[in-house]
Amino acid sequence: NQACSPLSLDELPFEQAQLYPNPVTDELAVTVKQTALYKIVNSNGAVIQEGTVSEEAAKINVSKLPTGVYLLQLSYTTGERETKKVVKK
């Protein structure tokens, strides 16, 4: 009979980016705790846009993207990666 131990923060999935608004029309605000490289990928897996977001709220212009669902892939300097779904109106 094993006792349950509390869940430590190290066991939680890595997630630190906040996106708004989502769905987005023109500019996607991205807030991260550390600098990250980003890629916006379409449903076919093609990289549509890429760049860098800093530790403050960065704005990514997505006004030229067609309406649809995209993945925002973030790669942090620590080696961690995170993927968020973005809906473009």
Side-chain angles (χ1 to χ4, degrees), residues 9-42:
L9 290 178
D10 292 338
E11 296 172 30
L12 293 174
F14 181 81
E15 185 172 308
Q16 69 171 1
Q18 296 179 354
L19 312 178
Y20 56 92
N22 195 6
V24 61
T25 305
D26 296 318
E27 279 191 336
L28 180 66
V30 181
T31 304
V32 292
K33 295 177 184 169
Q34 57 184 294
T35 300
L37 298 174
Y38 77 85
K39 291 180 183 178
I40 296 177
V41 180
N42 69 12

Side-chain angles (χ1 to χ4, degrees), residues 20-28 62-70 86-89:
Y20 56 92
N22 195 6
V24 61
T25 305
D26 296 318
E27 279 191 336
L28 180 66
V62 295
S63 61
K64 294 182 180 174
L65 293 181
T67 299
V69 178
Y70 297 87
V86 176
V87 178
K88 169 68 169 68
K89 289 199 275 188

Side-chain angles (χ1 to χ4, degrees), residues 40-49:
I40 296 177
V41 180
N42 69 12
S43 59
N44 296 325
V47 176
I48 303 301
Q49 189 173 328

